Amino acid sequence: MTVVMKTERLRIRLMKWGDHANIMKIFSDPIAMRYYPSTKNEEEANFWINWTLDNYRKFGVGLWVVEASSTGEFLGMCGLVPQKIDGTVRMEIGYLFVRKHWGQGYATEAALACKDYGFDYLKCQELISLIDPDNRPSIKVARRLGMDYIKTIRKWNKAIAIYQVWNREA
């Protein structure tokens, strides 16, 4: 298990194929996936894990597994994901959590750690989050990261709002 970073309550580590069953706790839940194009079946989840592992190889980042430090329980995923926006690759802070863990501050805590990683370690000038305009909880997380709404684009066959924060040190 390769730990990328730790916070007060969380261990954030690289994803592996053995995480498939835990990831399906999110992907198979229609409420957790409400703002995504759809839930994912086993085959789609395998494709998605492979895409994540490929991001690790190509970019050195991707969505990471978030676990409770005290128990090792799978809570969700959060990380830095390269996204092509208007012909330019930009680094997104993305987050998906198991529904039973919503409302406990885990997404914000993990996303803040990823923001620090992006700015301090990767030296990114800015970070974005791509959020369905109706996904109020995700917008609240983005705002807690200091992100502001920039614009709405079409991506994944739907309207997606871009939120952005600048690295004040860059």
Side-chain angles (χ1 to χ4, degrees):
M1 168 178 50
T2 304
V3 175
V4 178
M5 64 190 108
K6 292 181 180 182
T7 69
E8 184 178 331
R9 302 181 297 162
L10 306 174
R11 179 175 52 236
I12 302 169
R13 65 167 175 82
L14 294 180
M15 184 181 300
K16 56 188 188 309
W17 281 104
D19 293 312
H20 184 275
N22 282 324
I23 290 167
M24 285 304 295
K25 292 176 186 174
I26 300 169
F27 285 166
S28 65
D29 181 346
I31 295 172
M33 297 296 286
R34 174 179 175 193
Y35 297 107
Y36 283 76
S38 68
T39 57
K40 294 186 185 304
N41 63 31
E42 300 279 335
E43 184 179 330
E44 291 165 326
N46 284 339
F47 179 84
W48 191 87
I49 292 169
N50 192 53
W51 170 76
T52 298
L53 298 177
D54 200 42
N55 277 335
Y56 294 168
R57 286 187 289 277
K58 288 180 183 174
F59 302 102
V61 294
L63 280 179
W64 298 305
V65 169
V66 179
E67 299 171 327
S69 294
S70 58
T71 64
E73 181 179 7
F74 176 87
L75 304 174
M77 298 171 279
C78 187
L80 298 168
V81 182
Q83 296 284 0
K84 192 172 242 182
I85 308 293
D86 299 329
T88 303
V89 175
R90 297 169 73 184
M91 207 58 76
E92 177 196 18
I93 299 175
Y95 35 90
L96 293 147
F97 283 79
V98 176
R99 188 164 32 117
K100 75 176 187 175
H101 299 298
W102 289 2
Q104 298 175 50
Y106 295 133
T108 299
E109 187 174 333
L112 281 169
C114 290
K115 174 185 164 185
D116 290 345
Y117 187 92
F119 286 161
D120 299 340
Y121 181 73
L122 298 178
K123 305 296 184 200
C124 295
Q125 291 185 353
E126 49 96 33
L127 295 166
I128 62 168
S129 281
L130 303 176
I131 304 172
D132 183 296
D134 295 327
N135 188 341
R136 297 287 166 225
S138 284
I139 291 169
K140 285 180 183 178
V141 171
R143 294 219 181 270
R144 286 185 199 116
L145 300 177
M147 292 185 164
D148 294 312
Y149 169 79
I150 301 300
K151 67 180 180 177
T152 299
I153 62 169
R154 282 284 308 152
K155 189 167 177 77
W156 306 305
N157 296 317
K158 62 187 285 183
I160 297 291
I162 299 177
Y163 285 78
Q164 175 181 350
V165 62
W166 288 95
N167 185 348
R168 304 207 193 293
E169 304 293 319

